[in-house]
Protein backbone atom coordinates (compact mmCIF):
# COMPACT_ATOMS: atom_id res chain seq x y z
CA UNK A 1 0.00 0.00 0.00
CA UNK A 2 1.26 3.49 -0.86
CA UNK A 3 2.36 5.71 2.01
CA UNK A 4 -0.26 8.36 1.21
CA UNK A 5 -3.00 5.73 1.35
CA UNK A 6 -1.69 4.40 4.66
CA UNK A 7 -1.67 7.93 6.06
CA UNK A 8 -5.21 8.50 4.85
CA UNK A 9 -6.37 5.31 6.54
CA UNK A 10 -4.71 6.21 9.84
CA UNK A 11 -6.30 9.64 9.68
CA UNK A 12 -9.74 8.04 9.53
CA UNK A 13 -9.12 5.29 12.05
CA UNK A 14 -11.41 5.89 15.05
CA UNK A 15 -11.96 4.06 18.31
CA UNK A 16 -14.87 4.25 20.72
CA UNK A 17 -13.81 5.00 24.28
CA UNK A 18 -15.53 3.60 27.39
CA UNK A 19 -17.18 5.98 29.84
CA UNK A 20 -15.94 3.63 32.57
CA UNK A 21 -12.34 4.21 31.53
CA UNK A 22 -12.56 7.75 32.94
CA UNK A 23 -14.39 7.11 36.20
CA UNK A 24 -13.48 5.46 39.47
CA UNK A 25 -12.45 1.85 39.03
CA UNK A 26 -10.30 -0.70 40.73
CA UNK A 27 -9.91 -4.35 41.56
CA UNK A 28 -12.29 -6.41 43.64
CA UNK A 29 -10.00 -5.60 46.57
CA UNK A 30 -10.12 -1.84 46.38
CA UNK A 31 -10.80 1.07 44.06
CA UNK A 32 -8.21 3.74 44.86
CA UNK A 33 -8.98 7.37 44.26
CA UNK A 34 -7.03 8.71 41.28
CA UNK A 35 -6.79 12.51 41.01
CA UNK A 36 -8.87 13.91 38.18
CA UNK A 37 -11.14 10.93 37.73
CA UNK A 38 -14.55 11.77 36.28
CA UNK A 39 -17.41 11.86 38.77
CA UNK A 40 -20.37 11.55 36.43
CA UNK A 41 -21.19 10.75 32.83
CA UNK A 42 -20.97 14.41 31.77
CA UNK A 43 -17.40 14.62 33.03
CA UNK A 44 -16.67 11.33 31.27
CA UNK A 45 -17.84 12.91 28.02
CA UNK A 46 -15.71 16.00 28.76
CA UNK A 47 -12.71 13.71 29.16
CA UNK A 48 -13.44 11.81 25.96
CA UNK A 49 -13.75 15.17 24.17
CA UNK A 50 -10.37 16.25 25.55
CA UNK A 51 -8.83 12.99 24.33
CA UNK A 52 -10.44 13.53 20.94
CA UNK A 53 -9.20 17.10 20.74
CA UNK A 54 -5.60 15.96 20.95
CA UNK A 55 -5.87 12.66 19.04
CA UNK A 56 -8.79 13.16 16.63
CA UNK A 57 -9.34 9.43 16.89
CA UNK A 58 -12.38 9.00 19.14
CA UNK A 59 -15.57 7.94 17.38
CA UNK A 60 -17.96 7.75 20.31
CA UNK A 61 -18.36 7.12 24.03
CA UNK A 62 -19.71 3.75 25.15
CA UNK A 63 -21.94 3.93 28.21
CA UNK A 64 -22.70 1.47 31.01
CA UNK A 65 -26.16 1.31 32.56
CA UNK A 66 -26.85 1.88 35.48
CA UNK A 67 -23.42 3.52 36.05
CA UNK A 68 -24.24 6.26 33.54
CA UNK A 69 -27.94 6.64 34.28
CA UNK A 70 -29.35 10.15 33.75
CA UNK A 71 -32.81 11.70 33.72
CA UNK A 72 -32.65 12.94 30.16
CA UNK A 73 -30.84 10.84 27.57
CA UNK A 74 -31.65 13.17 24.70
CA UNK A 75 -29.85 15.90 26.61
CA UNK A 76 -26.92 13.54 27.14
CA UNK A 77 -26.76 12.85 23.43
CA UNK A 78 -26.89 16.58 22.68
CA UNK A 79 -24.15 17.25 25.21
CA UNK A 80 -21.94 14.67 23.49
CA UNK A 81 -22.74 16.13 20.09
CA UNK A 82 -21.84 19.63 21.23
CA UNK A 83 -18.45 18.18 22.10
CA UNK A 84 -18.13 16.54 18.68
CA UNK A 85 -18.93 13.04 19.97
CA UNK A 86 -21.65 10.43 19.74
CA UNK A 87 -23.02 8.00 22.28
CA UNK A 88 -21.73 4.59 21.29
CA UNK A 89 -22.56 1.12 22.56
CA UNK A 90 -25.00 0.83 25.44
CA UNK A 91 -23.81 -1.80 27.96
CA UNK A 92 -26.41 -3.15 30.39
CA UNK A 93 -24.79 -4.13 33.65
CA UNK A 94 -26.01 -7.45 35.09
CA UNK A 95 -23.42 -7.84 37.80
CA UNK A 96 -24.12 -5.43 40.61
CA UNK A 97 -27.76 -5.62 41.59
CA UNK A 98 -28.33 -7.60 44.80
CA UNK A 99 -31.16 -9.47 43.08
CA UNK A 100 -28.64 -10.98 40.67
CA UNK A 101 -26.89 -13.07 43.32
CA UNK A 102 -27.95 -16.23 41.50
CA UNK A 103 -28.00 -14.83 37.98
CA UNK A 104 -29.80 -12.28 35.87
CA UNK A 105 -31.06 -13.30 32.42
CA UNK A 106 -30.73 -16.98 33.35
CA UNK A 107 -32.19 -16.75 36.85
CA UNK A 108 -34.65 -19.55 37.61
CA UNK A 109 -36.68 -17.07 39.64
CA UNK A 110 -39.04 -15.68 37.02
CA UNK A 111 -39.42 -12.30 38.74
CA UNK A 112 -35.67 -11.69 38.80
CA UNK A 113 -35.21 -12.88 35.23
CA UNK A 114 -37.99 -10.53 34.15
CA UNK A 115 -36.24 -7.70 35.97
CA UNK A 116 -33.10 -8.37 33.92
CA UNK A 117 -35.11 -8.50 30.70
CA UNK A 118 -36.89 -5.24 31.56
CA UNK A 119 -33.56 -3.63 32.40
CA UNK A 120 -32.39 -4.55 28.91
CA UNK A 121 -35.57 -3.15 27.34
CA UNK A 122 -34.77 0.08 29.18
CA UNK A 123 -31.32 0.03 27.56
CA UNK A 124 -32.94 -0.35 24.14
CA UNK A 125 -35.05 2.70 24.97
CA UNK A 126 -31.85 4.56 25.92
CA UNK A 127 -30.41 3.54 22.55
CA UNK A 128 -33.40 5.12 20.83
CA UNK A 129 -33.00 8.35 22.80
CA UNK A 130 -29.26 8.57 22.21
CA UNK A 131 -29.28 7.24 18.66
CA UNK A 132 -27.00 4.38 19.65
CA UNK A 133 -27.02 1.35 17.37
CA UNK A 134 -25.15 -1.18 19.54
CA UNK A 135 -26.48 -3.12 22.50
CA UNK A 136 -23.33 -4.62 23.99
CA UNK A 137 -24.13 -7.56 26.23
CA UNK A 138 -21.77 -9.15 28.67
CA UNK A 139 -23.62 -11.62 30.85
CA UNK A 140 -21.77 -12.80 33.96
CA UNK A 141 -24.30 -15.55 34.76
CA UNK A 142 -22.96 -18.96 35.63
CA UNK A 143 -22.04 -20.76 38.81
CA UNK A 144 -19.35 -20.68 41.44
CA UNK A 145 -19.53 -24.27 42.65
CA UNK A 146 -20.10 -27.67 41.04
CA UNK A 147 -23.73 -28.65 41.36
CA UNK A 148 -24.94 -25.08 41.89
CA UNK A 149 -26.88 -24.89 38.64
CA UNK A 150 -28.30 -27.18 36.03
CA UNK A 151 -26.24 -26.13 32.96
CA UNK A 152 -28.96 -27.14 30.56
CA UNK A 153 -31.78 -25.33 32.31
CA UNK A 154 -29.75 -22.17 32.89
CA UNK A 155 -28.70 -22.03 29.26
CA UNK A 156 -32.26 -22.49 28.07
CA UNK A 157 -33.44 -19.64 30.27
CA UNK A 158 -30.68 -17.37 29.00
CA UNK A 159 -31.55 -18.26 25.43
CA UNK A 160 -35.20 -17.50 26.03
CA UNK A 161 -34.40 -14.12 27.60
CA UNK A 162 -32.14 -13.21 24.69
CA UNK A 163 -34.86 -14.18 22.22
CA UNK A 164 -37.30 -11.82 23.92
CA UNK A 165 -34.70 -9.03 23.87
CA UNK A 166 -33.82 -9.57 20.22
CA UNK A 167 -37.47 -9.14 19.26
CA UNK A 168 -37.34 -5.64 20.77
CA UNK A 169 -34.37 -4.49 18.72
CA UNK A 170 -35.03 -2.09 15.88
CA UNK A 171 -33.89 -3.06 12.39
CA UNK A 172 -30.73 -0.99 12.43
CA UNK A 173 -29.69 -2.08 15.94
CA UNK A 174 -27.16 -4.81 16.60
CA UNK A 175 -26.81 -6.89 19.71
CA UNK A 176 -23.28 -8.00 20.52
CA UNK A 177 -22.65 -11.05 22.68
CA UNK A 178 -19.39 -10.78 24.59
CA UNK A 179 -17.88 -13.93 26.10
CA UNK A 180 -15.54 -14.43 29.01
CA UNK A 181 -14.42 -17.72 30.45
CA UNK A 182 -14.56 -16.88 34.15
CA UNK A 183 -15.18 -14.23 36.81
CA UNK A 184 -17.34 -13.56 38.72
CA UNK A 185 -18.61 -17.10 38.04
CA UNK A 186 -15.50 -19.07 38.90
CA UNK A 187 -16.79 -22.55 38.14
CA UNK A 188 -18.90 -22.15 35.00
CA UNK A 189 -19.90 -19.16 32.91
CA UNK A 190 -22.79 -19.58 30.47
CA UNK A 191 -21.28 -17.48 27.67
CA UNK A 192 -17.74 -18.65 28.19
CA UNK A 193 -16.16 -18.73 24.75
CA UNK A 194 -16.49 -17.53 21.17
CA UNK A 195 -18.16 -20.77 20.11
CA UNK A 196 -20.98 -20.30 22.60
CA UNK A 197 -21.51 -16.68 21.54
CA UNK A 198 -21.37 -17.71 17.89
CA UNK A 199 -23.88 -20.50 18.38
CA UNK A 200 -26.33 -18.16 20.10
CA UNK A 201 -25.79 -15.37 17.60
CA UNK A 202 -26.67 -17.78 14.79
CA UNK A 203 -29.80 -18.86 16.54
CA UNK A 204 -30.87 -15.35 17.40
CA UNK A 205 -30.61 -13.87 13.93
CA UNK A 206 -28.76 -11.53 11.65
CA UNK A 207 -28.53 -8.56 13.96
CA UNK A 208 -26.83 -10.54 16.71
CA UNK A 209 -23.06 -10.82 16.50
CA UNK A 210 -20.05 -11.74 18.61
CA UNK A 211 -17.83 -9.33 20.52
CA UNK A 212 -14.21 -10.32 21.11
CA UNK A 213 -12.67 -8.87 24.25
CA UNK A 214 -8.93 -9.46 24.03
CA UNK A 215 -8.64 -10.18 27.74
CA UNK A 216 -11.24 -12.93 27.78
CA UNK A 217 -9.30 -15.96 26.56
CA UNK A 218 -7.24 -18.54 28.33
CA UNK A 219 -3.48 -18.46 27.85
CA UNK A 220 -2.27 -19.45 24.43
CA UNK A 221 -5.61 -19.07 22.64
CA UNK A 222 -5.11 -18.13 18.99
CA UNK A 223 -7.27 -15.01 18.94
CA UNK A 224 -6.37 -14.02 15.40
CA UNK A 225 -7.75 -17.32 14.16
CA UNK A 226 -11.01 -16.73 16.05
CA UNK A 227 -11.18 -13.27 14.49
CA UNK A 228 -10.73 -14.75 11.03
CA UNK A 229 -13.37 -17.45 11.55
CA UNK A 230 -15.98 -15.05 12.91
CA UNK A 231 -15.29 -12.55 10.13
CA UNK A 232 -15.65 -15.22 7.45
CA UNK A 233 -19.02 -16.15 8.89
CA UNK A 234 -20.03 -12.46 9.08
CA UNK A 235 -20.50 -12.80 12.80
CA UNK A 236 -17.74 -10.59 14.14
CA UNK A 237 -19.54 -7.56 15.50
CA UNK A 238 -16.99 -5.85 17.65
CA UNK A 239 -13.94 -5.67 19.85
CA UNK A 240 -13.03 -4.72 23.34
CA UNK A 241 -9.41 -3.68 23.17
CA UNK A 242 -7.19 -4.31 26.16
CA UNK A 243 -4.47 -6.71 27.14
CA UNK A 244 -3.86 -9.24 29.86
CA UNK A 245 -1.03 -11.12 31.48
CA UNK A 246 -3.21 -13.75 33.14
CA UNK A 247 -6.85 -13.01 32.40
CA UNK A 248 -9.38 -10.23 31.90
CA UNK A 249 -8.99 -6.68 30.78
CA UNK A 250 -6.54 -5.16 33.16
CA UNK A 251 -3.66 -4.09 30.94
CA UNK A 252 -3.18 -1.56 28.17
CA UNK A 253 -3.90 -2.78 24.66
CA UNK A 254 -0.69 -3.42 22.78
CA UNK A 255 1.44 -3.25 25.89
CA UNK A 256 2.22 -6.88 26.53
CA UNK A 257 1.64 -8.84 23.36
CA UNK A 258 2.05 -6.34 20.50
CA UNK A 259 2.81 -9.04 17.94
CA UNK A 260 -0.44 -10.84 18.73
CA UNK A 261 -2.33 -7.56 18.34
CA UNK A 262 -0.59 -7.00 15.02
CA UNK A 263 -1.62 -10.47 13.80
CA UNK A 264 -5.22 -9.72 14.79
CA UNK A 265 -5.16 -6.53 12.70
CA UNK A 266 -3.62 -8.44 9.80
CA UNK A 267 -6.70 -10.67 9.80
CA UNK A 268 -9.14 -7.80 10.30
CA UNK A 269 -7.82 -5.92 7.26
CA UNK A 270 -8.79 -8.86 5.09
CA UNK A 271 -12.46 -8.40 5.95
CA UNK A 272 -12.95 -4.78 7.03
CA UNK A 273 -11.77 -1.36 5.99
CA UNK A 274 -11.25 -0.21 9.56
CA UNK A 275 -10.68 3.36 8.54
CA UNK A 276 -13.90 3.98 6.68
CA UNK A 277 -16.66 5.97 8.32
CA UNK A 278 -19.28 3.51 7.15
CA UNK A 279 -17.46 0.74 8.99
CA UNK A 280 -18.80 2.10 12.25
CA UNK A 281 -21.98 0.27 11.42
CA UNK A 282 -20.23 -2.96 10.63
CA UNK A 283 -17.71 -3.40 13.36
CA UNK A 284 -17.63 -1.75 16.72
CA UNK A 285 -14.11 -0.98 17.95
CA UNK A 286 -14.19 -0.14 21.62
CA UNK A 287 -11.50 0.30 24.23
CA UNK A 288 -12.29 -1.65 27.40
CA UNK A 289 -9.59 -1.29 29.98
CA UNK A 290 -9.70 -1.14 33.72
CA UNK A 291 -7.33 1.60 34.82
CA UNK A 292 -6.52 0.64 38.36
CA UNK A 293 -3.58 2.84 39.14
CA UNK A 294 -3.04 4.96 36.03
CA UNK A 295 -4.40 8.51 35.72
CA UNK A 296 -7.49 8.12 33.59
CA UNK A 297 -7.03 10.47 30.61
CA UNK A 298 -3.43 9.46 29.85
CA UNK A 299 -4.57 5.85 30.26
CA UNK A 300 -6.92 6.36 27.32
CA UNK A 301 -4.50 8.37 25.17
CA UNK A 302 -1.72 5.78 25.46
CA UNK A 303 -3.70 2.82 24.05
CA UNK A 304 -5.06 4.94 21.19
CA UNK A 305 -1.46 5.51 20.23
CA UNK A 306 -0.68 1.78 20.53
CA UNK A 307 -3.66 0.96 18.32
CA UNK A 308 -2.60 3.46 15.67
CA UNK A 309 0.92 2.03 15.63
CA UNK A 310 -0.40 -1.51 15.26
CA UNK A 311 -2.90 -0.55 12.58
CA UNK A 312 -0.17 1.26 10.62
CA UNK A 313 2.11 -1.78 10.80
CA UNK A 314 -0.66 -4.10 9.66
CA UNK A 315 -1.29 -1.88 6.63
CA UNK A 316 2.34 -2.37 5.62
CA UNK A 317 1.81 -6.10 5.08
CA UNK A 318 2.19 -7.08 1.45
CA UNK A 319 -0.91 -9.24 1.19
CA UNK A 320 -0.25 -10.20 -2.43
CA UNK A 321 3.22 -11.46 -1.64
CA UNK A 322 1.90 -13.25 1.43
CA UNK A 323 -0.70 -15.03 -0.68
CA UNK A 324 1.96 -16.08 -3.14
CA UNK A 325 4.22 -17.38 -0.39
CA UNK A 326 1.32 -19.33 1.09
CA UNK A 327 0.44 -20.84 -2.27
CA UNK A 328 4.07 -21.82 -2.81
CA UNK A 329 4.22 -23.30 0.68
CA UNK A 330 7.13 -20.98 1.30
CA UNK A 331 6.77 -20.95 5.05
CA UNK A 332 9.92 -18.95 5.73
CA UNK A 333 8.99 -16.25 3.23
CA UNK A 334 5.42 -15.97 4.57
CA UNK A 335 6.64 -15.34 8.08
CA UNK A 336 9.31 -12.93 6.87
CA UNK A 337 6.62 -10.85 5.11
CA UNK A 338 4.74 -10.45 8.37
CA UNK A 339 7.90 -9.65 10.31
CA UNK A 340 9.01 -7.14 7.72
CA UNK A 341 5.86 -5.12 8.34
CA UNK A 342 5.85 -5.64 12.09
CA UNK A 343 9.43 -4.55 12.54
CA UNK A 344 9.03 -1.33 10.58
CA UNK A 345 9.23 1.74 12.76
CA UNK A 346 6.00 3.61 11.93
CA UNK A 347 6.40 6.38 14.48
CA UNK A 348 7.50 8.85 11.83
CA UNK A 349 4.36 8.10 9.78
CA UNK A 350 2.24 8.84 12.83
CA UNK A 351 4.11 12.05 13.54
CA UNK A 352 3.48 13.18 9.95
CA UNK A 353 -0.21 12.30 10.14
CA UNK A 354 -0.59 14.32 13.32
CA UNK A 355 1.35 17.24 11.94
CA UNK A 356 -0.86 17.31 8.86
CA UNK A 357 -3.93 17.29 11.12
CA UNK A 358 -2.53 20.01 13.36
CA UNK A 359 -2.38 17.69 16.39
CA UNK A 360 0.35 17.28 18.99
CA UNK A 361 2.96 14.88 17.66
CA UNK A 362 3.49 13.13 21.00
CA UNK A 363 0.03 12.83 22.48
CA UNK A 364 1.09 11.13 25.72
CA UNK A 365 3.70 13.81 26.44
CA UNK A 366 1.20 16.51 25.49
CA UNK A 367 -1.23 15.49 28.26
CA UNK A 368 1.57 15.49 30.81
CA UNK A 369 2.42 19.08 29.93
CA UNK A 370 -1.12 20.34 29.23
CA UNK A 371 -2.27 23.24 31.41
CA UNK A 372 -5.90 22.44 30.54
CA UNK A 373 -5.48 18.89 31.84
CA UNK A 374 -3.87 19.90 35.14
CA UNK A 375 -6.44 22.66 35.67
CA UNK A 376 -9.21 20.09 35.27
CA UNK A 377 -7.50 17.68 37.72
CA UNK A 378 -7.13 20.49 40.26
CA UNK A 379 -10.74 21.63 39.90
CA UNK A 380 -12.09 18.12 40.39
CA UNK A 381 -9.98 17.66 43.50
CA UNK A 382 -11.18 20.93 45.02
CA UNK A 383 -14.91 20.27 44.81
C1 LIG B 1 -16.31 -7.80 31.68
O1 LIG B 1 -15.10 -8.17 32.25
C2 LIG B 1 -16.14 -6.64 30.74
O2 LIG B 1 -15.15 -6.92 29.80
C3 LIG B 1 -17.43 -6.27 30.06
O3 LIG B 1 -17.21 -5.78 28.78
C4 LIG B 1 -17.95 -5.19 30.93
O4 LIG B 1 -18.86 -4.38 30.30
C5 LIG B 1 -16.67 -4.46 31.29
O5 LIG B 1 -15.73 -5.50 31.45
C6 LIG B 1 -16.83 -3.66 32.54
O6 LIG B 1 -15.60 -3.17 32.98
MN1 LIG C 1 -15.23 -6.24 27.76
Amino acid sequence: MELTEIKEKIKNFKIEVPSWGFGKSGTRFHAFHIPGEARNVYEKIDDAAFVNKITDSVSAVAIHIPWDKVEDYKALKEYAEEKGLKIGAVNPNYFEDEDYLFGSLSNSNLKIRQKAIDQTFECIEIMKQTDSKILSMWIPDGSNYPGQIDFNKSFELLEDSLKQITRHLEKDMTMLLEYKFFEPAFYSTLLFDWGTSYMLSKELGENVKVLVDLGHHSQGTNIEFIVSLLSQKKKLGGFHFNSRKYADDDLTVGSLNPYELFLIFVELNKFFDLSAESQNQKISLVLDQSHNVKPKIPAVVQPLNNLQITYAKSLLVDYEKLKQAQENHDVIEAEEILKEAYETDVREILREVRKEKGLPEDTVKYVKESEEYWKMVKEREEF
Side-chain angles (χ1 to χ4, degrees), residues 20 64 91 136 138 178-180 211-216 239-242 248-249 286-289:
W20 56 99
H64 228 289
N91 295 250
S136 199
W138 172 62
E178 178 176 357
Y179 56 91
K180 166 163 149 171
L211 182 143
V212 175
D213 181 311
L214 297 183
H216 294 181
F239 267 92
H240 273 178
F241 289 118
N242 53 58
D248 213 358
D249 43 23
V286 186
L287 194 72
D288 178 17
Q289 292 176 175

Side-chain angles (χ1 to χ4, degrees), residues 309-324:
I309 288 176
T310 313
Y311 183 46
K313 287 182 185 223
S314 72
L315 293 173
L316 290 171
V317 171
D318 190 331
Y319 283 90
E320 252 330 291
K321 261 173 108 181
L322 181 62
K323 209 166 127 197
Q324 276 300 319

Side-chain angles (χ1 to χ4, degrees), residues 56 152 307:
D56 191 32
N152 187 23
L307 285 166

Side-chain angles (χ1 to χ4, degrees), residues 133-134 172 174 176 206 208-210 230-231 234-239 268 271-274 276-285:
K133 301 296 172 211
I134 304 280
D172 61 349
T174 302
L176 299 181
E206 248 179 53
V208 182
K209 293 186 176 177
V210 181
L230 289 172
S231 304
K234 303 208 167 6
K235 279 294 187 184
L236 182 66
F239 267 92
L268 278 174
F271 300 93
F272 302 92
D273 179 354
L274 298 177
E277 275 287 299
S278 60
Q279 286 313 124
N280 288 347
Q281 296 300 325
K282 293 180 191 149
I283 187 157
S284 151
L285 304 173

